[in-house]
Amino acid sequence: MKKLKLVMVGNGMAGVRTLEELLKLTPELYDITVFGAEPYANYNRILLSPVLTGEQTLPEIMLNDVDWYAEHGITLHLGKEVVDIDRGRRIVRAADGTTAEYDRLLLATGSNPFILPVPGKELDGVVTFRDIHDVNTMIDAAANHQHAVVIGGGLLGLEAANGLAARGMKVTVVHLGEWLLDRQLDRTAAAMLQDTLQERGLTFLLQKQTAELVAGSSGRVASVRFKDGEEVPADLVVMAVGIRPNFSLAEQSGIYCDRGIVVNDFMQTFDPRVYAVGECVSHRGVSYGLVAPLFDMAKVVANHLANFGIARYVPAATSTKLKVTGVDLFSAGNFMGGDGHEEITLSDPVGGIYKKLIVKDDKLVGACLYGDTADGGWYFRLIREGHAIHEMREQLMLGEGAIGDVGHAGQNRAMGMSDDAEVCGCNGVCKGSIVKAIQEKGLFTVDEVKKHTKAASSCGSCTGLVEQILINCVGGAADVKPKSEKAICGCTELNHGQVRQAIREQHLTSLADTFTALNWRSMDGCSSCRPAINYYLISSWPGEAKDDPQSRFINERVHANIQKDGTYSVIPRMWGGVTNPSELRRIADVADKYDIPMVKVTGGQRIDLLGVKKEDLPKVWADLDMPSGHAYGKSLRTVKTCVGSEFCRFGTQDSTQMGIDLEHDLFGMWSPAKVKLAVSGCPRNCSEAGIKDVGIIGVDSGWELYIGGNGGIKTEVAEFLCKVKTHDEVMVYSGAFLQLYREEAFYLERTVHYLHRVGMEYIKQRVLADEVGRNELYARLKFALTFEQDPWAERTKGGVARHEFEALSIETVTA
Amino acid sequence: MSRNWKTICQLNDIPAQGARVLKRDDGDDIAIFRTIDDQVFALVDKCPHKGGPLSQGIVSGRTVTCPLHNWNIDLATGQACAPDEGCSGHIPVKLEAGAIFLALD
Ligand SMILES: Cc1cc2nc3c(=O)[nH]c(=O)nc-3n(C[C@H](O)[C@H](O)[C@H](O)COP(=O)(O)OP(=O)(O)OC[C@H]3O[C@@H](n4cnc5c(N)ncnc54)[C@H](O)[C@@H]3O)c2cc1C
Ligand code: HEM
Ligand code: SF4
Ligand code: SF4
Ligand code: FES
């Protein structure tokens, strides 16, 4: 089949990211031709700032070199500006006469810096800060001249000024507003910033309107004159007063534009053959000047160019970071506030810290941080997740650390860490190697950092630190997203919520059907999506969807826990942590008979036999004659109990029996992540119910239920759900909550994270207020559990999955 | 040079998207994989990272994910997928009339 022709005009960050996404989806559909006005392949424009300061070099900031285009069979025309689009004949023409025909056209022309319409604007020595050419001009000027004036005290202007100062120029920043960054900061915070920058040798002229750029005898610019008559010397003038979408080419060719190339949610212009992406577009009346939303657009365009036709661009809050080493400024969302918005501010001029949070309708909608930006990523995620904050409002300003979320050794401030400080304790990755990977490999997401450095790829407790480092390096381009917005894995664009919804709404009951219905990119998924989808299928359609053992992690396939040497551990269930002499004797005999190297009491009130050979597992289970403890699964683990009223002198309730009953009631329950319960007989809480997914505490008049606790990587204290009177109520309320979690949580999401995502109000509504709903939830749980049997008994008595446990041997020899 | 092919098992002895282990007295264990489209591959059952048993991993497409720390290993070559680096040896394998043969020395 003849390939379709795709032509892209503009070889910048958004355009090339679109091509990368497209090639991932369909490498063969198009013959691709790219025109770029600049003579360079694709580079990381946002890192021009560190190039200007000398902290990085041009080769380091290349994202795709010319070889990349060649490898993918892309025809690349560098240094060729497209000047004409003939939409009738579907041909584009460059200034030098080069032409290319297209079936589909992608406009990615970026924006142009705004040039003040003042006399002298075209003089030698007057530049903008947009591309490599500008940066080279500035670096040359710094080597040969002394005085620089930067017009514009916004993020870009300050980054330019800082860079020129780092190169030894005397820099004056001219700003029309009353204070710097008047879009981000209030007067107090801006004053702090100004002080810091003045200490570094910058000079500021505020509330100054430029009237004219005055030429010297050589014809080069020599000074800047203001409306008030004052004049300052200037051998270099940098205009950084904003950008305008570059849509002139589109407009000339008759494509509808309104302060940008107007596109619909599919990034299509009014000419259906022509798509647009990046800073040049106007989507629902808004143009963007930051990388993160442009990369989201890129995914959408690629999806449509690949003829998948399912993605829509939905604007999300964005964030920015001033990329001046040693100065921390971060803002996200609507940081300016306005009518109906509340502001929470913290201002410590002496300590050099300023924080402003904008709240609207009980939701965090914006944040601006100066001096201490460690919590930037966290606020940004709260903004994007958009759920009620009243429960944490008091701690909000204190940051993520205040609500119990800290990294290793309490370290939660990446900024203060030295390059050789360890960030990831599991894989021994230090800060320096992460920074290096981000810069050299052009990484924008935590997932990419995980892949390249292994940091945050095991227990995940340093994810926050990695996020901070990422934000520091690439500013607002850091793709910081809550999990609810992220694609499950590289096999799809869809996130967990969307896949779950599709499985329910389209009544999908097998992995193969799901992959077909949802246009999976890979033949049979990968090790990230398959276990997730398998869980979604069996939890949505119990009894109907068939469990797929090949899509389960080894532990759940062989019902034991793999150890580092390839042996397994066996943890039989001891209901409520109660055992008896005969069980203990059997355990002891098994340990002797199979030469089990270690017998250990677990933290879950039961006994672990470690170092069992895989082929011995069925025999070990048979001899133990005890049910599986599911210590290996995303499933009900243990129900810890205390002694309770039967023996304990403080006991008010029979917590042991309650634990045993709960454990029987929930036996065999698969869940998005592991689930642990505990029951205590009085508020002394000896079973540590406060850190369990469901914790139950007996009191004189009944039982208190707590949910969402977690004793792990980050200790999370369970939150009070309700108090009930009877034994049966404990069963129903606990079961109903767990079923809600089973139906709605994302795969691998623990109860605490699910709870934080949907909010306690919502859980109370579903489990407490709605009595019918509660009983239905519980009934659905009980129904699902009717399909579960003891997996060990199935395998010892019925011979299920025998192939898992028997090794092969060599039979015959042929020549 | 003709290879020393040895019959190991039938294709149906291995579940699709799964693996079986061949134990050897005189060498490393060998993992034999069957993909969803019934292609068969054999690797030394030792992850290049820390020696994890690849036979216990999840098989998808042409890769297996090591059960210990999730490295992805290419079934055809034994190479770790980028950005990880390393290789577990691969063993020539053929499928004839539903039977699986390995070329063992
Ligand atoms: C110094 C600096 C710092 C920045 N810092 C950050 C930051 O910290 N965080 C952040 O999120 N964003 C930052 N940005 C913004 C970010 O770089 C841009 O949003 C992003 O690069 C825009 O991508 P784009 O593809 O739309 O446009 P561009 O990357 O500008 O690409 C457009 C390309 O099209 C070419 N072109 C235009 N017209 C034609 C034509 N007719 N024919 C052929 N070629 C044409 C242009 O020459 C250009 O190369 C920064 C920008 C600058 C300049
Ligand atoms: C995400 C991080 C965690 C990982 C990767 C992890 C891993 C493991 C592994 C591999 C085992 C099995 C050991 C064996 O084979 O016997 C285990 C057991 C156990 N873990 Fe964890 N664990 C994590 C978090 C936690 C947390 C948060 C707690 C408690 C608050 C916890 C408590 C236990 C207990 C009590 C056992 C004993 C098993 C039992 O009785 O069921 N673990 N864990
Ligand atoms: S048992 Fe848990 S805490 Fe102990 S080493 Fe393994 S994962 Fe870490
Ligand atoms: S929690 Fe209360 S009832 Fe249970 S063992 Fe402790 S003191 Fe006794
Ligand atoms: S041993 Fe295979 S990934 Fe570590």
Side-chain angles (χ1 to χ4, degrees):
Chain A
M1 198 187 80
K2 219 171 129 247
K3 287 190 184 181
L4 293 172
K5 295 194 198 70
L6 172 68
V7 171
M8 181 168 98
V9 180
N11 184 36
M13 295 183 75
V16 179
R17 176 54 77 108
T18 309
L19 296 184
E20 286 180 336
E21 297 282 348
L22 177 65
L23 292 170
K24 264 198 259 166
L25 294 175
T26 149
E28 299 297 335
L29 190 59
Y30 291 101
D31 268 328
I32 304 174
T33 305
V34 174
F35 286 87
E38 293 184 66
Y40 306 96
N42 182 37
Y43 59 93
N44 194 340
R45 194 174 301 282
I46 68 177
L47 294 183
L48 287 177
S49 299
V51 170
L52 182 60
T53 59
E55 287 161 296
Q56 279 188 263
T57 61
L58 286 176
E60 283 171 355
I61 69 164
M62 293 309 298
L63 290 171
N64 307 75
D65 53 19
V66 287
D67 295 343
W68 179 85
Y69 296 82
E71 272 162 35
H72 292 89
I74 299 173
T75 311
L76 178 62
H77 295 298
L78 288 180
K80 296 190 184 179
E81 185 186 353
V82 171
V83 290
D84 182 54
I85 304 172
D86 180 341
R87 290 196 295 130
R89 292 162 57 212
R90 303 209 302 268
I91 295 179
V92 302
R93 184 171 54 79
D96 72 342
T98 312
T99 59
E101 289 176 30
Y102 67 84
D103 296 300
R104 283 179 175 170
L105 178 65
L106 176 60
L107 299 177
T109 48
S111 29
N112 291 324
F114 184 67
I115 312 270
L116 288 176
V118 291
K121 64 182 182 339
E122 57 296 292
L123 286 176
D124 205 18
V126 180
V127 297
T128 56
F129 186 19
R130 180 71 196 174
D131 55 25
I132 290 183
H133 176 76
D134 294 334
V135 170
N136 285 336
T137 312
M138 288 195 254
I139 293 175
D140 276 354
N144 299 311
H145 298 279
Q146 203 188 357
H147 295 285
V149 169
V150 175
I151 305 179
L155 289 170
L156 202 61
L158 294 181
E159 286 181 17
N162 177 62
L164 292 170
R167 291 202 177 258
M169 292 192 92
K170 288 179 77 66
V171 184
T172 305
V173 177
V174 177
H175 188 57
L176 188 60
E178 279 182 65
W179 59 82
L180 295 176
L181 291 175
D182 40 3
R183 297 200 343 109
Q184 273 93 347
L185 302 178
D186 68 12
R187 185 187 289 268
T188 328
M192 293 183 214
L193 173 66
Q194 192 173 333
D195 280 350
T196 309
L197 294 174
Q198 273 164 357
E199 275 163 28
R200 295 177 174 212
L202 298 187
T203 308
F204 292 92
L205 291 174
L206 300 177
Q207 287 179 279
K208 284 280 188 200
Q209 203 173 346
T210 307
E212 186 183 352
L213 308 181
V214 185
S217 51
S218 64
R220 187 184 173 93
V221 68
S223 66
V224 177
R225 186 177 304 135
F226 302 106
K227 277 263 161 69
D228 60 12
E230 193 182 333
E231 201 169 319
V232 293
D235 313 309
L236 176 74
V237 172
V238 183
M239 294 225 194
V241 288
I243 53 171
R244 297 283 177 272
N246 176 11
F247 56 90
S248 51
L249 175 67
E251 197 166 46
Q252 274 165 31
S253 56
I255 293 170
Y256 180 61
C257 294
D258 179 13
R259 277 170 292 169
I261 306 174
V262 175
V263 294
N264 60 19
D265 286 356
F266 315 124
M267 308 308 295
Q268 211 168 23
T269 68
F270 276 56
D271 177 343
R273 285 187 184 272
V274 183
Y275 289 81
V277 70
E279 286 186 344
C280 57
V281 309
S282 166
H283 172 261
R284 302 193 197 168
V286 181
S287 296
Y288 294 86
L290 292 167
V291 170
L294 308 186
F295 283 0
D296 286 345
M297 291 179 189
K299 280 200 178 132
V300 176
V301 183
N303 185 289
H304 288 277
L305 286 176
N307 295 330
F308 286 8
I310 46 174
R312 293 177 57 202
Y313 177 65
V314 183
T318 56
S319 70
T320 58
K321 168 100 176 49
L322 180 66
K323 299 191 302 301
V324 170
T325 306
V327 179
D328 289 324
L329 173 72
F330 174 91
S331 58
N334 170 9
F335 47 78
M336 309 226 277
D339 271 359
H341 293 70
E342 307 156 61
E343 277 185 20
I344 313 177
T345 51
L346 176 152
S347 177
D348 175 4
V350 179
I353 291 177
Y354 170 84
K355 298 183 183 187
K356 177 168 78 174
L357 302 177
I358 311 286
V359 175
K360 184 166 190 247
D361 301 334
D362 196 26
K363 285 176 186 153
L364 188 66
V365 296
C368 179
L369 312 174
Y370 175 75
D372 173 6
T373 57
D375 284 308
W378 183 62
Y379 289 128
F380 187 42
R381 266 178 286 124
L382 286 179
I383 293 169
R384 292 182 68 144
E385 278 168 351
H387 51 66
I389 52 141
H390 60 267
E391 276 159 22
M392 55 169 139
R393 186 165 173 144
E394 278 131 61
Q395 281 101 2
L396 203 56
M397 190 49 97
L398 304 177
E400 192 169 21
I403 50 178
D405 228 359
V406 291
H408 290 294
Q411 178 59 268
N412 57 6
R413 294 284 183 268
M415 257 69 89
M417 295 172 77
S418 62
D419 271 357
D420 57 2
E422 189 171 76
V423 172
C424 174
C426 294
N427 298 308
V429 189
C430 58
K431 180 179 165 188
S433 12
I434 298 177
V435 171
K436 193 157 166 257
I438 293 173
Q439 294 177 338
E440 289 179 1
K441 305 257 160 37
L443 312 179
F444 292 102
T445 68
V446 172
D447 283 345
E448 289 168 348
V449 177
K450 275 187 199 170
K451 257 199 217 137
H452 282 268
T453 67
K454 298 289 162 238
S457 64
S458 295
C459 82
S461 67
C462 60
T463 308
L465 283 178
V466 171
E467 203 169 70
Q468 287 174 30
I469 296 172
L470 191 65
I471 292 174
N472 272 338
C473 293
V474 298
D479 194 4
V480 180
K481 281 191 183 139
K483 189 171 173 193
S484 50
E485 288 179 20
K486 278 189 197 155
I488 293 190
C489 63
C491 303
T492 180
E493 314 262 272
L494 302 172
N495 60 40
H496 285 267
Q498 292 166 324
V499 170
R500 260 213 115 129
Q501 193 183 355
I503 287 175
R504 208 174 304 121
E505 287 176 359
Q506 303 179 34
H507 203 122
L508 303 170
T509 56
S510 74
L511 281 130
D513 289 353
T514 309
F515 291 153
T516 316
L518 304 181
N519 278 317
W520 233 245
R521 279 179 205 162
S522 51
M523 179 168 56
D524 59 342
C526 70
S527 60
S528 298
C529 59
R530 276 213 335 251
I533 294 175
N534 186 54
Y535 170 72
Y536 294 150
L537 291 167
I538 57 170
S539 60
S540 304
W541 306 109
E544 214 178 320
K546 212 167 139 286
D547 183 38
D548 176 23
Q550 301 316 125
S551 296
R552 284 183 179 262
F553 183 58
I554 183 67
N555 291 357
E556 296 185 357
R557 216 180 318 143
V558 299
H559 296 275
N561 231 320
I562 194 164
Q563 306 294 322
K564 66 178 194 178
D565 60 355
T567 64
Y568 289 81
S569 69
V570 169
I571 306 183
R573 199 165 282 281
M574 289 178 173
W575 306 99
V578 176
T579 182
N580 57 46
S582 131
E583 279 180 357
L584 291 174
R585 253 181 230 112
R586 292 204 300 277
I587 290 172
D589 288 343
V590 162
D592 278 342
K593 180 168 167 189
Y594 297 94
D595 245 344
I596 286 171
M598 168 126 109
V599 181
K600 185 183 180 308
V601 175
T602 76
Q605 298 188 334
R606 43 203 196 163
I607 291 175
D608 192 350
L609 303 162
L610 289 136
V612 182
K613 293 193 248 350
K614 194 184 187 196
E615 49 281 18
D616 287 343
L617 287 172
K619 289 174 275 178
V620 166
W621 298 332
D623 288 357
L624 283 174
D625 195 21
M626 292 166 76
S628 163
H630 290 93
Y632 46 78
K634 311 289 169 226
S635 55
L636 173 74
R637 294 280 174 94
T638 65
V639 183
K640 275 175 80 167
T641 64
C642 76
V643 191
S645 59
E646 289 291 285
F647 292 91
C648 177
R649 65 202 163 100
F650 298 113
T652 62
Q653 297 282 1
D654 187 352
S655 48
T656 314
Q657 191 57 48
M658 176 63 85
I660 294 172
D661 293 349
L662 274 166
E663 197 162 349
H664 278 287
D665 202 47
L666 300 171
F667 179 73
M669 180 185 82
W670 295 109
S671 37
K674 60 187 170 184
V675 167
K676 299 174 180 180
L677 280 73
V679 190
S680 287
C682 83
R684 288 163 194 77
N685 199 0
C686 296
S687 71
E688 296 159 355
I691 51 166
K692 295 291 176 250
D693 296 282
V694 176
I696 294 155
I697 299 177
V699 290
D700 211 39
S701 53
W703 304 89
E704 292 175 353
L705 268 55
Y706 295 80
I707 58 172
N710 187 335
I713 297 166
K714 290 174 181 148
T715 310
E716 305 274 359
V717 176
E719 292 180 41
F720 178 72
L721 175 68
C722 62
K723 190 176 148 191
V724 296
K725 285 215 175 62
T726 66
H727 175 278
D728 285 357
E729 283 172 328
V730 172
M731 297 288 152
V732 175
Y733 282 72
S734 307
F737 165 68
L738 287 171
Q739 178 64 12
L740 190 62
Y741 164 67
R742 278 168 38 85
E743 289 176 4
E744 296 189 345
F746 303 147
Y747 191 64
L748 300 186
E749 190 174 42
R750 294 287 306 264
T751 51
V752 55
H753 303 116
Y754 168 66
L755 175 63
H756 284 174
R757 180 161 62 79
V758 301
M760 190 59 153
E761 288 305 314
Y762 171 79
I763 306 274
K764 285 186 172 162
Q765 170 56 36
R766 296 288 305 267
V767 176
L768 305 185
D770 177 1
E771 188 189 335
V772 176
R774 172 174 66 241
N775 290 328
E776 285 172 357
L777 279 167
Y778 185 62
R780 286 203 293 278
L781 174 66
K782 297 306 294 178
F783 174 71
L785 289 175
T786 57
F787 299 98
E788 299 301 334
Q789 289 159 26
D790 172 25
W792 290 0
E794 276 180 326
R795 280 160 185 73
T796 51
K797 305 207 174 75
V800 170
R802 192 177 291 140
H803 64 83
E804 279 291 356
F805 305 100
E806 288 170 6
L808 298 169
S809 59
I810 298 172
E811 290 166 11
T812 27
V813 182
T814 42
Chain B
M1 191 189 81
S2 84
R3 276 181 161 149
N4 185 11
W5 291 107
K6 292 188 171 134
T7 319
I8 304 301
C9 62
Q10 300 298 307
L11 179 65
N12 289 339
D13 292 332
I14 307 179
Q17 299 172 294
R20 294 286 294 267
V21 186
L22 173 70
K23 293 252 180 220
R24 293 193 299 174
D25 299 330
D26 53 350
D28 287 326
D29 291 352
I30 293 174
I32 308 169
F33 299 90
R34 172 176 169 191
T35 62
I36 193 167
D37 52 354
D38 290 345
Q39 301 215 33
V40 179
F41 301 95
L43 300 177
V44 174
D45 196 12
K46 247 180 151 173
C47 175
H49 179 221
K50 291 188 175 176
L54 296 174
S55 54
Q56 317 294 295
I58 292 183
V59 177
S60 53
R62 292 281 170 282
T63 57
V64 60
T65 305
C66 176
L68 295 194
H69 318 93
N70 296 327
W71 279 30
N72 289 313
I73 312 294
D74 185 290
L75 291 176
T77 63
Q79 293 281 355
C81 300
D84 295 321
E85 285 169 19
C87 185
S88 6
H90 72 111
I91 293 105
V93 66
K94 68 176 179 182
L95 177 66
E96 269 176 24
I100 293 172
F101 299 82
L102 288 189
L104 296 169
D105 319 315

